[in-house]
RNA sequence: GUGGAUGUAGCUCAGUUGGUUAGAGCACCAGGUUGUGGCCCUGGGGGUCGGGGGUUCAAGUCCCCUCAUUCACCCCA
């Protein structure tokens, strides 16, 4: 296409109808579903001081190079938000939510930015829905956010998601596991890929989800053997609660998450139709993330969900409302009359428009057939008698109606059609 | 960031070993029906062949660069 002109920046796109409407429908579905659990919507800014996201972890690619970070004209170091959790945590602290009645339930829905190589279903700007539950360290809380996410996927029409869960331990038991991993992989250092050589020093847990050294990890120590009693009871309870709700979930001992702030529970849910896009949603427990942002220590758990991915995985689009649309066609010399009639109809609550190109009646009805269910034809012989013609475009039937009875007639007609 | 493939009309795509005014289907517009859509028929509009440079008498076609898309890696919210 026109290379001389402007196009969307790499990895970004225009969302056109009807997908734009699908996004809105998903937003409505997500927010109303979350509201049933008591989650209130929070809209954080798209841009934050860069420090907010620095604590995501020193070894994370998001932090290392996949961010939109810039210094603005005033010298401020800013970053386009790559995910929701850190920004919501910042807001939690800023507004003193730790002093509010606990638990605090917040959800968000909006664009996230990440500068990675574009692929199908992977955009530099994508939309995420997420929920964060603060103030409870109970497994009931973990289960709640997972059930919230699974329930949304279910309501959107996607069946049989593949849910995986793991516990990466807590401050009590994780150090020993971490040490065991380091020892295991150090002995096999010559077999590790280049990236894993680095991970071994910086974040040994991530060796487990390396896609290169898959054979090695099979023999790596299982975190299960290192769990303390609290961690063991916690993950067991979470899994029970999910299954009790009727969902399938399996423990995956190789599951660790890309972000460094997680403790105990981590989970990821995918779907076979997504293929390489991997995760539909993912999340976990991040007790104390708020303390890392210079706030109070608060237990928390949450998830983030990729909306574009969810929409692309749906077997059928979300239902579109079939609004009855009225098209006002006009006979020669009655363009203004049609225009005014459409205006009146809109004022009375109808979705109505008229021809703006002074086209032939034939052309007008052709357009009406494309985008309306009812055509009102004004002008000609009937106009002098105070009549208009109402044509049912679906049934190809029409009758003349008194102009001042038109609104009532249409209302009744639309009601009958919907019944 | 690495490697491969692709880029021709709004959309989906043809374009023979380089060779006249670059095509089709769908979509759009008009007419056939001077007051009636969906089907049909006829006609029409719309393209600097992603962009730039090069080779050549001649480039959509060959070469280089660049931009974009896509697939596989990497990574993942």
């Amino acid at each position: 296409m026109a290379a001389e002109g402007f196009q969307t920046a790499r990895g970004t796109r225009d969302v056109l109808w009807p997908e734009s409407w699908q996004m809105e429908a998903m937003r409505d579905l997500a927010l109303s579903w979350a509201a049933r659990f008591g989650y209130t919507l929070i809209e954080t800014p798209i841009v934050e001081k860069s420090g907010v996201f620095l604590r995501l972890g020193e070894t994370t690619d998001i932090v290392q190079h996949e961010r939109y970070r810039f210094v603005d004209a005033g010298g401020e170091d800013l970053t386009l938000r790559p995910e929701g959790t850190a920004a919501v945590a910042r807001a939690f602290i800023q507004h003193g939510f730790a002093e509010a009645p606990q638990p605090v339930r917040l959800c968000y829905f909006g664009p996230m930015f990440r500068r990675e190589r574009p692929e199908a279903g992977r955009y530099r700007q994508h939309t995420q829905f997420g929920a964060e539950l603060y103030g409870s360290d109970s497994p009931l809380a973990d289960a709640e956010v997972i059930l919230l996410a699974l329930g949304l996927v279910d309501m959107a029409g996607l069946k049989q998601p593949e849910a995986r869960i793991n516990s990466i331990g807590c401050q009590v038991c994780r150090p020993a596991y971490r040490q065991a991993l380091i020892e295991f992989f150090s002995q096999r250092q010559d077999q590790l890929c280049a990236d894993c050589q680095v991970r071994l020093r910086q974040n040994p847990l991530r060796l487990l989800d390396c896609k290169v050294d898959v054979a090695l990890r099979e023999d790596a120590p299982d975190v299960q053997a290192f769990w303390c009693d609290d961690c063991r009871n916690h993950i067991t309870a979470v899994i029970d609660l999910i299954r009790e709700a009727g969902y399938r979930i399996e423990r995956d001992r190789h599951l660790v998450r890309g972000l460094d702030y997680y403790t105990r529970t981590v989970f990821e849910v995918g779907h076979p139709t997504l293929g390489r896009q991997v995760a539909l949603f993912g999340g976990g427990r991040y007790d104390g993330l708020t303390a890392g942002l210079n706030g109070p220590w608060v237990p928390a758990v949450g998830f983030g969900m990729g909306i574009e991915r969810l929409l692309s995985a749906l077997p059928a689009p979300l239902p579109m409302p079939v609004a009855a649309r009225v098209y006002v066609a006009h006979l020669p010399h009655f363009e203004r009359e049609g225009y005014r009639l459409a205006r009146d109809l809109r004022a009375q609550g109808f979705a109505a428009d008229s021809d703006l190109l002074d086209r032939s009646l034939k052309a007008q009805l052709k357009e009406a057939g494309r985008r309306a269910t009812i055509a009102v034809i004004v002008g000609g012989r009937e106009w002098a008698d105070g009549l208009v013609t109402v044509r049912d475009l679906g049934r190809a039937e029409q009758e003349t109606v008194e102009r001042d009875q038109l609104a009532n007639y249409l209302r009744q007609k639309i009601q009958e059609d919907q019944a």
Side-chain angles (χ1 to χ4, degrees):
Chain A
M1 323 303 156
E4 289 289 330
F6 289 110
Q7 304 178 24
T8 49
R10 186 175 164 96
T12 65
R13 66 201 185 112
D14 297 315
V15 181
L16 307 177
W17 187 271
E19 194 190 346
S20 53
W21 190 89
Q22 290 286 304
M23 291 290 295
E24 280 305 300
M26 189 58 82
R27 181 185 166 97
D28 282 351
L29 193 62
L31 296 187
S32 59
W33 174 241
R36 286 200 216 172
F37 291 75
Y39 288 76
T40 56
L41 177 64
I42 178 169
E43 302 260 17
T44 65
I46 283 167
V47 61
E48 295 267 359
K49 291 180 183 175
S50 293
V52 170
F53 302 114
L54 288 176
R55 298 305 180 96
L56 296 182
E58 312 305 321
T59 63
T60 309
D61 286 283
I62 298 172
V63 172
Q64 286 175 344
H65 52 261
E66 295 182 354
R67 292 183 306 171
Y68 282 101
R69 184 179 180 182
F70 60 97
V71 177
D72 76 2
E76 192 143 38
D77 183 355
L78 300 171
T79 296
L80 257 41
R81 63 180 185 194
E83 54 99 45
T85 298
V88 174
R90 187 230 80 227
F92 182 92
I93 298 163
Q94 181 172 337
H95 302 291
F97 283 168
E99 309 306 318
Q102 303 293 305
V104 173
R105 293 182 170 96
L106 300 169
C107 66
Y108 59 87
F109 190 107
M112 304 294 165
F113 302 85
R114 182 169 178 176
R115 198 185 176 290
E116 43 179 15
R117 181 101 172 228
E119 256 180 68
R122 302 176 59 172
Y123 306 100
R124 289 180 169 184
Q125 175 181 339
H126 71 282
T127 309
Q128 255 186 67
F129 167 63
E132 315 284 0
L133 173 49
Y134 287 92
S136 169
D137 58 8
S138 164
L140 296 174
D142 304 54
E144 178 177 296
V145 298
I146 296 171
L147 289 174
L148 165 51
L150 282 172
L152 177 61
V153 169
D154 197 24
M155 287 202 309
L158 190 62
K159 304 304 174 190
Q160 307 272 320
E162 295 170 347
R164 297 176 297 127
I165 191 169
N166 195 18
S167 173
I168 56 174
C170 62
Q171 290 183 335
V172 175
C173 58
R174 186 151 36 155
Y177 178 57
R178 186 184 149 98
Q179 193 54 42
L181 278 181
I182 292 174
E183 282 168 20
F184 173 83
F185 284 111
S186 294
Q187 288 163 13
R188 296 158 181 79
Q189 197 160 3
D190 53 325
Q191 301 170 51
L192 295 177
C193 68
D195 288 332
C196 283
Q197 303 277 352
V198 179
R199 290 186 185 119
L200 183 57
R201 290 195 306 277
Q202 295 187 336
N203 192 351
L205 286 185
R206 302 227 58 206
L207 285 155
L208 290 174
D209 70 347
C210 176
K211 307 300 186 295
V212 182
D213 305 323
V214 278
L216 256 188
R217 71 182 198 184
E218 293 305 323
D219 299 322
D222 186 344
V223 65
Q224 187 166 19
F226 294 80
W227 286 338
C228 61
D229 286 347
D230 285 346
C231 282
R232 179 181 312 281
N233 293 337
H234 192 92
I235 178 105
T236 303
V238 174
I239 292 174
D240 281 351
L241 288 162
I242 304 298
R243 289 185 176 155
E244 173 186 305
Y247 293 103
R248 293 183 52 185
I249 190 164
E250 300 299 330
R251 190 177 87 86
D252 178 350
R253 68 188 183 96
H254 298 123
L255 177 62
V256 295
R257 301 276 302 162
L259 301 173
D260 291 351
Y261 49 60
Y262 290 110
T263 60
R264 278 191 182 156
T265 311
V266 291
F267 55 86
E268 214 167 272
V269 173
H271 197 269
T273 60
L274 281 169
R276 288 238 10 110
Q277 295 172 36
V278 190
L280 213 47
F281 69 84
R285 177 163 282 282
Y286 50 93
D287 297 342
L289 174 65
T290 43
L293 292 168
N294 303 324
W297 193 96
V298 180
V301 57
F303 73 87
M305 179 183 291
I307 297 300
E308 284 85 357
R309 287 181 181 183
L310 176 57
L311 284 173
S312 76
L314 294 187
L318 296 175
M320 304 279 284
V322 280
R325 251 198 111 68
V326 179
Y327 186 91
V328 182
H330 66 86
L331 291 161
H333 314 300
F334 285 85
E335 190 179 31
R336 283 295 179 97
E337 284 77 3
Y339 189 79
R340 291 188 196 109
L341 181 57
R343 197 185 66 203
D344 290 346
L345 288 173
R346 283 192 296 270
Q348 293 178 79
F350 296 95
D353 61 306
S354 64
D355 174 54
L356 304 178
L357 302 173
D358 203 18
R359 288 183 284 198
S360 68
L361 182 59
K362 175 177 174 171
Q364 293 179 67
L365 285 172
K366 191 171 179 182
E367 188 184 355
R370 277 197 290 265
R371 39 195 304 253
T373 56
I374 297 167
V376 176
I377 303 165
V378 304
R381 294 184 293 274
E382 295 87 344
W383 190 257
D385 300 329
L387 300 171
V388 294
T389 302
V390 177
R391 183 171 178 82
D392 183 319
L393 294 164
R395 299 203 185 97
E397 296 166 356
Q398 65 186 42
E399 53 189 303
T400 52
V401 177
E402 290 193 25
R403 224 151 60 209
D404 49 17
Q405 287 302 308
L406 179 62
N408 289 335
Y409 178 86
L410 290 176
R411 244 187 286 279
Q412 194 180 336
K413 179 161 190 55
I414 289 166
Q415 210 164 36
E416 283 169 6
D417 286 352
Q418 285 174 347

